Amino acid sequence: MASHETIPIQNSSSFLSTSTIVALCVFFALLCACIVIGHLLEENRWANESITALLLGLCAGAIVLLIEKGQDSRLLAFSEDLFFLYLLPPIIFNAGFQVKKKQFFKNFTTILLFGILGTVISFCLISLGAFLLFKRIGLTTLTLQQFLAIGAILSATDSVCTLQVLSQDETPFLYSIVFGEGVVNDATSIVLYNAVQSLNFNNIDATITLKLLGNFLYLFFTSTALGVVVSLLSAFVIKTLYFGRHSTDREVALMMLMAYLSYLLAELLNLSGILTVFFCGIVMSHYTWHNVTESSRITTKHAFATMSFIAETFIFVYVGMDAFDIEKWKGSNASAATSVTISATFFALVLIGRAAFVFPLANFINCIQKRDSNKIEFKQQFIMWWAGLMRGAVTIALSYNQFSNTKKISSSDSALMITCTIIVVLFSTIVCGSVTKPLIEAVLLRNRKTNVSDATDIPSLEEDLRQLFFENGDSSGQGNNQIAPRASSLRLLIAHPTITVHYLWRKFDDKFMRPVFGGRGFVPFVPGSPTGADDETSAAV
């Protein structure tokens, strides 16, 4: 792991490092500048806050490099610990906490197909392409594990730029797919990366693929289960003890701490913290959030969003400044042509790996969908492909983790892999990100009607579900001799799997889960304080 290296400045106090204070002052000033510039460029077609933060980081890194006369541009070295322990958790948790769950789970099958199967396909193609091409370029010291790690590293997408342009209200289907696939993709990439690191490649046999698959499935499901358990525990404790009758600060603090605890427990158990904290956020928003008082609901909603925004902006500034770490570029000992060739190879593999699953999986989904309104148009497929081309901080963090301080390959090749990864991240974020907004405006029809595919919007399907699952035939009463024809449970499940499962889950949730863990409709008792429970129904599934 990289340590926090700072610019040496004299006259530091006995208990505070002046260099650390200077570094933090610079970063906080850049964050303020990002907020102001982002506000001013809100209507600009070619810029957004992510690109603004990255460019400001690059400018600050260049200025520090000039001040230090080409010696060192790092106020803070890029640390995987800082990224994975402090910056990533609030971003992922808020993503789960703020997601529109009804839309997310309605498209859950599609999201899992793209986020898991698609990432695995991209991982395999990028690893194979790197293995076949890098030998010809001259990189002969990379091992099989290194090639698989490259596949996992470059499979991690960063769709922030696209999500800043898409609207949940105007394009709900596309937004939920891009958003959900982005989160699941990051989690899957990290799970694949950890699975690759845990395997022993000294004794390669036919079972190594099964071991990799087994490790992946174990990490995926156990991480998800841990997040659900911790969030249910928080809901039960807050509902049972009524923290709000004494102090709303306690219930807000407990939500924050238990959310972060779920991430730390996952990392402690060598699981996927991203999956854990994401599903913890989803379940907390469904149960725990409704168990707290009205003031705590407002506080938590804005506090989580603010922490996520600051962490996200800090990451882009951080990456931009670290790109001017002159020591990495000197350590690679590679010519400009070699760096450009490897970086171009990386990005070409990303393009091919992304296209290899987006278009085939989308057309497969179209083949099994009977209703035209549920099919993914080619324009939407193109935006989904484009949204996954950008790479971000997860890619850089995994690259540092894999190639810094490694003893299996030469130090020059390690530095070359890191610098080429940085080039891909900078190019994809700045170039691809800058044309995302005009591209989406040109490709998508903004005033199109929202697709209708929910069970409550299909009267015949809703009636079939009610007749099928009502107990003791409560729907009778319209005539003893006339029984309305209805679909079988198997046919309903095959024709509308997501809708049918959602309908069953809603009945199970109302009957068993909410009486124990609270949720929508639960009114916390706080003397003299309105709860506003009737106004807070928008976050329910």
Side-chain angles (χ1 to χ4, degrees):
M1 296 292 181
S3 59
H4 289 233
E5 301 177 20
T6 57
I7 297 177
I9 299 178
Q10 300 299 323
N11 300 323
S12 62
S13 62
S14 58
F15 58 95
L16 289 177
S17 171
T18 305
S19 58
T20 301
I21 296 176
V22 170
L24 292 177
C25 284
V26 171
F27 274 99
F28 275 69
L30 290 174
L31 291 177
C32 293
C34 288
I35 294 174
V36 174
I37 297 175
H39 170 72
L40 296 176
L41 297 177
E42 183 69 27
E43 303 299 328
N44 189 279
R45 299 182 64 204
W46 304 98
N48 54 54
E49 288 175 336
S50 301
I51 298 175
T52 301
L54 193 59
L55 291 176
L56 281 177
L58 288 170
C59 293
I63 292 173
V64 174
L65 186 64
L66 292 175
I67 293 175
E68 291 297 308
K69 298 179 180 179
Q71 296 299 318
D72 190 4
S73 66
R74 290 179 295 178
L75 292 176
L76 290 174
F78 193 95
S79 168
E80 306 95 84
D81 286 344
L82 175 63
F83 174 75
F84 283 111
L85 292 180
Y86 304 110
L87 298 178
L88 191 59
I91 297 174
I92 302 301
F93 175 79
N94 183 68
F97 193 78
Q98 303 285 356
V99 68
K100 291 187 176 181
K101 297 182 290 297
K102 188 173 185 178
Q103 188 71 25
F104 177 81
F105 284 105
K106 187 170 67 175
N107 302 313
F108 194 61
T109 304
T110 304
I111 289 172
L112 289 183
L113 270 178
F114 283 100
I116 297 179
L117 180 59
T119 304
V120 172
I121 293 174
S122 178
F123 160 76
C124 295
L125 288 178
I126 293 176
S127 300
L128 179 61
F131 177 78
L132 296 176
L133 295 176
F134 282 7
K135 298 290 186 180
R136 299 183 178 183
I137 296 175
L139 293 176
T140 58
T141 61
L142 295 177
T143 63
L144 177 60
Q145 186 176 28
Q146 303 289 343
F147 286 117
L148 292 176
I150 289 174
I153 291 168
L154 293 180
S155 296
T157 65
D158 190 334
S159 54
V160 173
C161 291
T162 307
L163 292 176
Q164 288 178 349
V165 178
L166 291 175
S167 170
Q168 291 195 69
D169 298 322
E170 294 181 3
T171 54
F173 171 77
L174 193 58
Y175 186 95
S176 67
I177 295 296
V178 173
F179 166 79
E181 190 242 331
V183 175
V184 176
N185 167 274
D186 283 346
T188 304
S189 299
I190 295 176
V191 169
L192 283 172
Y193 178 83
N194 291 334
V196 169
Q197 302 301 314
S198 64
L199 293 178
N200 182 11
F201 288 86
N202 293 327
N203 297 319
I204 300 177
D205 52 30
T207 62
I208 193 169
T209 303
L210 295 177
K211 291 179 181 178
L212 185 62
L213 178 62
N215 287 342
F216 170 77
L217 294 176
Y218 167 77
L219 291 173
F220 189 89
F221 288 108
T222 51
S223 301
T224 302
L226 178 61
V228 173
V229 169
V230 173
S231 55
L232 289 178
L233 178 62
S234 71
F236 180 79
V237 170
I238 290 178
K239 174 180 177 292
T240 305
L241 299 181
Y242 296 106
F243 284 89
R245 62 184 170 181
H246 293 148
S247 171
T248 58
D249 296 338
R250 291 192 179 104
E251 56 187 6
V252 172
L254 188 63
M255 284 186 67
M256 292 183 175
L257 292 175
M258 292 200 72
Y260 190 60
L261 179 63
S262 69
Y263 184 87
L264 294 179
L265 286 175
E267 294 299 321
L268 183 64
L269 299 174
N270 294 321
L271 303 177
S272 172
I274 287 184
L275 272 177
T276 298
V277 78
F278 176 69
F279 281 97
C280 181
I282 290 179
V283 179
M284 270 195 175
S285 68
H286 187 62
Y287 295 111
T288 313
W289 188 75
H290 292 278
N291 297 344
V292 300
T293 57
E294 181 184 8
S295 59
S296 296
R297 293 174 187 175
I298 297 173
T299 301
T300 52
K301 182 177 181 179
H302 292 288
F304 292 144
T306 302
M307 289 188 294
S308 173
F309 171 77
I310 294 175
E312 196 172 272
T313 307
F314 187 90
I315 286 174
F316 280 103
V317 174
Y318 203 7
V319 170
M321 293 195 68
D322 192 70
F324 275 94
D325 177 16
I326 198 66
E327 298 300 325
K328 288 195 299 288
W329 300 94
K330 290 180 179 179
S332 64
N333 293 328
S335 63
T338 302
S339 297
V340 170
T341 300
I342 295 177
S343 301
T345 303
F346 275 164
F347 194 67
L349 291 175
V350 169
L351 292 173
I352 297 172
R354 182 75 182 170
F357 75 85
V358 169
F359 297 106
L361 289 182
N363 285 282
F364 170 75
I365 293 172
N366 291 342
C367 291
I368 63 177
Q369 287 287 354
K370 296 182 178 180
R371 302 180 69 221
D372 292 337
S373 59
N374 290 338
K375 294 184 178 181
I376 306 176
E377 300 176 358
F378 180 77
K379 294 180 179 180
Q380 294 175 321
Q381 297 176 28
F382 180 81
I383 296 300
M384 292 166 61
W385 171 75
W386 181 267
L389 296 182
M390 284 161 276
R391 297 296 179 264
V394 174
T395 299
I396 289 183
L398 293 179
S399 179
Y400 269 92
N401 185 271
Q402 177 64 40
F403 295 108
S404 62
N405 302 322
T406 182
K407 298 180 180 179
K408 294 183 178 180
I409 61 176
S410 65
S411 59
S412 60
D413 287 347
S414 298
L416 182 61
M417 291 295 100
I418 294 175
T419 54
C420 290
T421 302
I422 292 175
I423 292 175
V424 171
V425 170
L426 294 177
F427 178 83
S428 62
T429 302
I430 296 176
V431 177
C432 297
S434 62
V435 300
T436 294
K437 189 171 184 177
L439 180 66
I440 290 179
E441 291 177 351
V443 171
L444 293 180
L445 297 177
R446 284 308 212 171
N447 297 323
R448 63 191 307 171
K449 295 182 179 180
T450 304
N451 291 339
V452 177
S453 60
D454 189 22
T456 58
D457 300 322
I458 309 175
S460 60
L461 175 58
E462 178 74 7
E463 184 63 25
D464 281 342
L465 289 169
R466 289 185 181 277
Q467 290 184 11
L468 179 61
F469 297 113
F470 265 147
E471 298 177 354
N472 300 324
D474 291 341
S475 59
S476 62
Q478 299 179 354
N480 295 329
N481 298 327
Q482 294 182 357
I483 301 177
R486 57 181 175 84
S488 65
S489 58
L490 180 60
R491 187 162 70 87
L492 280 175
L493 188 60
I494 294 176
H496 308 280
T498 306
I499 298 174
T500 307
V501 170
H502 178 266
Y503 186 88
L504 291 173
W505 158 250
R506 205 168 52 192
K507 291 176 64 66
F508 175 79
D509 187 33
D510 292 336
K511 188 174 182 179
F512 298 103
M513 299 296 288
R514 284 178 175 165
V516 177
F517 300 105
R520 184 183 61 180
F522 177 77
V523 182
F525 173 74
V526 181
S529 174
T531 60
D534 294 335
D535 298 330
E536 306 294 342
T537 60
S538 60
V541 175

